[in-house]
Amino acid sequence: FKEMGYPHIHMGTVEAYPELLHVTELLKKSDVKTVHLVPFMIVAGDHANNDMAGSDEDSWMSIFKASGKFDRVDAQIAGLGSVDAIQEIYIRHTADAMNE
C-alpha cells in the first residue's frame, strides 16, 4: 500500500507478521486520530467479528480504544466478497479457468 501511494493504510494479521503490536506501534508514532478496522478477507467471519472487532479486551478494537491515542476507532464487518469489483474479478478468473 505504501508503494502505491497510500501511506496511512496499515495491514496487520491475527496469527502472523505483522501482528497487532507492530501495527499499534506504527500508529502510536503517527498523527493518526481515526482507526478504521477492515477485514482483508473474502468472508468476514470469526476473525473479523471476534479478533478484530469483538468486545473482548484482546480484540484489535478494544486494544486501540484502550490505548487512548485515537479519537475514533470503528470497524467494517464485511468481507471483500461483498464488493462488486471483487466479485467481478472472481467471475472473470473463474470463466478464464473454465476456458483453459
Side-chain angles (χ1 to χ4, degrees), residues 52-91:
M52 185 184 81
S55 58
D56 290 345
E57 65 182 31
D58 63 343
S59 77
W60 287 45
M61 172 88 76
S62 296
I63 290 169
F64 280 119
K65 285 183 175 180
S67 75
K69 163 76 175 152
F70 310 102
D71 295 337
R72 182 173 164 204
V73 180
D74 59 31
Q76 167 188 316
I77 305 296
L80 294 173
S82 66
V83 176
D84 291 341
I86 300 296
Q87 293 173 10
E88 291 171 16
I89 291 170
Y90 266 82
I91 292 168

Side-chain angles (χ1 to χ4, degrees), residues 39-52:
F40 194 67
M41 6 173 117
I42 299 304
V43 176
D46 182 65
H47 282 308
N49 287 301
N50 296 314
D51 301 321
M52 185 184 81

